[in-house]
Amino acid sequence: MDVMEAIKTRRSIGKFKDEKVPKELIEKVIEAATFAPNRYITEPWRFFVISGDGRRALSRLMEGIALDSGIDPNSEEGKKNIEKQKDKPFRAPVIIAVAAEVTEDKKVIRLEELGATYAAIQNMLLAAHSIGLSSYWKTGKACYSNKMKEFFGLKSKDEVLALIYLGYPDAKKAMVRRKSADSLTKWIESDI
């Protein structure tokens, strides 16, 4: 599959078969991330692979973050929300948490570290698609909580930027209509 085909045909599919993903494929997806551009070659990305029973720890973390958000655990709505949060880690056989470990060098701009990590995440999504895996990039308030950072041993300056759900697709997703590149592009070809 060439790059343009991968870019145009990749979809976020959040429904996965209950089938183990071989470690070699997970490693390929992570390796693709490490080739993302990054200023000063800081390589700010960090990866945490969660699978099998490891998802239970993430489930407890998601429950704790939900409870900390002020959800009433005694109301029907609160109970449903907490169960939903607890179930999230079991939607896929593998979750790869991707964090930016921001370099402390004064010449390095924090925003560029985050941008490099986002580029690494996109590489992961494309690599997964190219080898027949489905991926779903999740974030949300829980992803950015201090408890999430603590869980992965990160410092306060660092950020968890993605929980990538990974596995074999158990659904198909139609192409989403996109605006044309032409409608989003302004050409500046002369002095204004």
Side-chain angles (χ1 to χ4, degrees), residues 83-168:
E83 283 306 309
K84 182 180 174 184
Q85 297 305 314
K86 286 171 54 177
D87 289 344
K88 283 183 179 180
F90 301 102
R91 291 179 180 173
V94 177
I95 300 167
I96 304 173
V98 184
E101 190 174 273
V102 180
T103 306
E104 296 188 23
D105 188 325
K106 288 182 183 178
K107 70 180 178 184
V108 174
I109 299 169
R110 183 176 195 275
L111 190 57
E112 292 177 349
E113 298 281 83
L114 302 181
T117 305
Y118 286 127
I121 292 165
Q122 177 68 352
N123 280 5
M124 295 173 78
L125 302 177
L126 292 170
H129 177 55
S130 76
I131 58 176
L133 295 173
S134 178
S135 60
Y136 196 80
W137 179 355
K138 295 293 287 177
T139 55
K141 290 182 181 179
C143 198
Y144 308 123
S145 79
N146 286 330
K147 278 191 170 187
M148 189 71 73
K149 289 181 188 184
E150 291 169 13
F151 181 79
F152 293 115
L154 300 169
K155 297 177 183 170
S156 62
K157 66 177 176 49
D158 303 330
E159 296 292 341
V160 176
L161 298 178
L163 295 175
I164 299 176
Y165 289 68
L166 190 69
Y168 293 100

